[in-house]
Amino acid sequence: QVQLVESGGGLVQAGGSLRLSCAASARTSSIYAVGWFRQPPGKEREFVTAINYYDGNTYYADSVKGRFIISRDNAKNTVYLQMNSLKPEDTAVYSCAASVQYYTGSRSQTAFGSWGQGTQVTVSS
C-alpha cells in the first residue's frame, strides 16, 4: 500500500501561485503514475493532472492547461503541482493519488488506488 502525504495548500489571491507537494512512502518502483484531483465546495471530485512514472507523459484537464505544471523529484519520492495564475474557481481540496497498475492516461478516479488526505487551496478574488 502506497502512503501519500500532501502539503503546500493555503490562501492566495487571484493571479497568485502555489506549489503543492505529494510525498510517497512506498518504493517508487511500485508506482506507475501519480495524479492530482480536486473537489470544489459542493461539487464532485475532478481530475486535474497526472504524470506517468515510466514514460514521463503528463496529462492535464483543459481547465488548468497552461497554468498548472506537474513534475516529479525521483530522489525525494515527491510529485509537485505548481499552480500559477490561480482563479477563484480553483478553490478546492486537492488530493494526490497513486496508480500501482499500468497507466495510460486515464482521468478516472478508479485508476488510482491510494490517496492522500487532501490539502485545502483557497483563491480569493
Side-chain angles (χ1 to χ4, degrees):
Q1 183 77 8
V2 178
Q3 292 186 331
L4 304 169
V5 178
E6 302 101 333
S7 61
L11 174 65
V12 64
Q13 289 188 333
S17 299
L18 277 177
R19 189 178 78 160
L20 305 183
S21 300
C22 174
S25 63
R27 294 177 304 167
T28 55
S29 60
S30 65
I31 299 175
Y32 282 76
V34 168
W36 286 94
F37 290 76
R38 67 185 182 186
Q39 186 166 18
K43 298 183 178 180
E44 294 186 352
R45 188 158 57 185
E46 61 185 20
F47 173 84
V48 177
T49 181
I51 183 167
N52 185 309
Y53 270 33
Y54 284 86
D55 59 22
N57 284 343
T58 57
Y59 308 86
Y60 294 94
D62 289 343
S63 58
V64 306
K65 199 172 295 183
R67 299 188 298 123
F68 289 13
I69 301 171
I70 188 170
S71 63
R72 175 191 173 196
D73 186 328
N74 295 345
K76 296 183 178 180
N77 285 355
T78 299
V79 171
Y80 300 101
L81 177 60
Q82 178 67 44
M83 304 186 295
N84 302 318
S85 302
L86 283 161
K87 305 175 182 180
E89 51 264 43
D90 294 318
T91 295
V93 175
Y94 285 72
S95 301
C96 63
S99 174
V100 295
Q101 58 190 17
Y102 187 68
Y103 181 74
T104 56
S106 173
R107 287 156 168 74
S108 171
Q109 297 178 51
T110 60
F112 298 86
S114 298
W115 292 79
Q117 81 286 355
T119 185
Q120 177 69 45
V121 172
T122 302
V123 184
S124 63
S125 58

